[in-house]
Amino acid sequence: MRVWSVPARVVLSVAALGLAAGTALFLAALFLHVAPENAVSRRYRAEVDAVVYPEFEQNWKLFAPNPLQQNVMVDARVQTIAGDGRITTRDWTGLTAQDFAAVRHNPAPSHVDQNLLRRAWDFYDATHPQQDGAVAGPRAKLAEEYLKRIALQRIGRTAGGERILQIQFRVGARTVAPPPWSPEQVSTDPDYRELPWWPVNADDYRGLA
């Protein structure tokens, strides 16, 4: 049997304790996020939100009496600038279509392919009310950056050999048709929403593969 030296055992023990403590703190943050509001969750709301949002948000829509009834497709396109200053608007890229292609016929689809983009759009939509005069919430800027970085990670730093200058998103929502036996009448025509152009700079690629 292998005998670990004293320094190695110390390092392993410290690492194990650190992992255990980190896991306990993470689970505690999730618990405070989903638990009924109390003195502790109110006191540490900012710290809990920093841990949970946007990647680990918890919700109960799976068990809701009225679950989501729409298929949402997120597309993105970019504007590029050539060396002579010429600006070109590129074609739309189907980001959700890419996820569908990765999941379809895959017996063990990635959680990222299934949920990353979808949850990013849910996060953006929840923090950007469309009513006239409504003010975006305090997490609106984070939602924009999160959505933009997901798209740029897929598109890359250039398109057609030219530097990306701006990016725009288009979201289409199509209501799922009711079953044949249902008397409910709904329109299944897609409803499109285009977001404004967002500038792209080097900071948007920081940390991306």
Side-chain angles (χ1 to χ4, degrees):
M1 296 181 59
R2 180 173 181 176
V3 178
W4 296 94
S5 65
V6 173
R9 289 198 296 269
V10 171
V11 171
L12 291 173
S13 299
V14 171
L17 289 174
L19 288 174
T23 301
L25 289 174
F26 177 73
L27 294 177
L30 290 181
F31 173 78
L32 291 174
H33 177 71
V34 300
E37 187 173 355
N38 54 72
V40 177
S41 64
R42 287 193 296 269
R43 169 65 178 81
Y44 296 101
R45 175 55 55 194
E47 291 79 3
V48 170
D49 287 349
V51 172
V52 173
Y53 292 111
E55 290 89 351
F56 304 108
E57 181 181 0
Q58 309 293 302
N59 64 70
W60 301 101
K61 288 182 179 178
L62 176 64
F63 307 101
N66 186 26
L68 295 176
Q69 298 180 351
Q70 287 185 325
N71 288 324
V72 178
M73 306 290 291
V74 181
D75 305 327
R77 65 177 177 178
V78 297
Q79 282 185 343
T80 60
I81 183 169
D84 58 2
R86 175 176 48 85
I87 296 177
T88 303
T89 300
R90 304 291 172 173
D91 292 334
W92 290 103
T93 298
L95 303 179
T96 303
Q98 293 175 351
D99 289 343
F100 284 173
V103 170
R104 189 172 289 115
H105 307 306
N106 188 339
S110 165
H111 179 77
V112 171
D113 292 332
Q114 295 180 77
N115 295 308
L116 181 65
L117 179 63
R118 179 180 63 83
R119 297 300 296 127
W121 171 250
D122 287 347
F123 182 33
Y124 177 89
D125 193 40
T127 55
H128 289 74
Q130 299 185 61
Q131 294 87 352
D132 293 339
V135 179
R139 296 183 291 122
K141 187 61 177 178
L142 175 62
E144 294 177 7
E145 294 175 355
Y146 187 43
L147 186 62
K148 179 165 64 171
R149 284 168 60 82
I150 290 174
L152 292 177
Q153 186 172 36
R154 302 187 186 191
I155 296 172
R157 296 177 179 269
T158 62
E162 298 176 358
R163 180 173 64 86
I164 294 177
L165 187 65
Q166 298 186 102
I167 187 169
Q168 184 184 34
F169 290 89
R170 177 182 67 183
V171 180
R174 184 193 298 269
T175 301
V176 177
W181 46 261
S182 173
E184 184 181 6
Q185 299 293 323
V186 299
S187 173
T188 57
D189 295 333
D191 180 25
Y192 287 100
R193 173 185 174 188
E194 286 190 9
L195 305 186
W197 287 97
W198 294 341
V200 175
N201 54 55
D203 287 341
D204 294 320
Y205 292 96
R206 184 180 302 168
L208 298 183

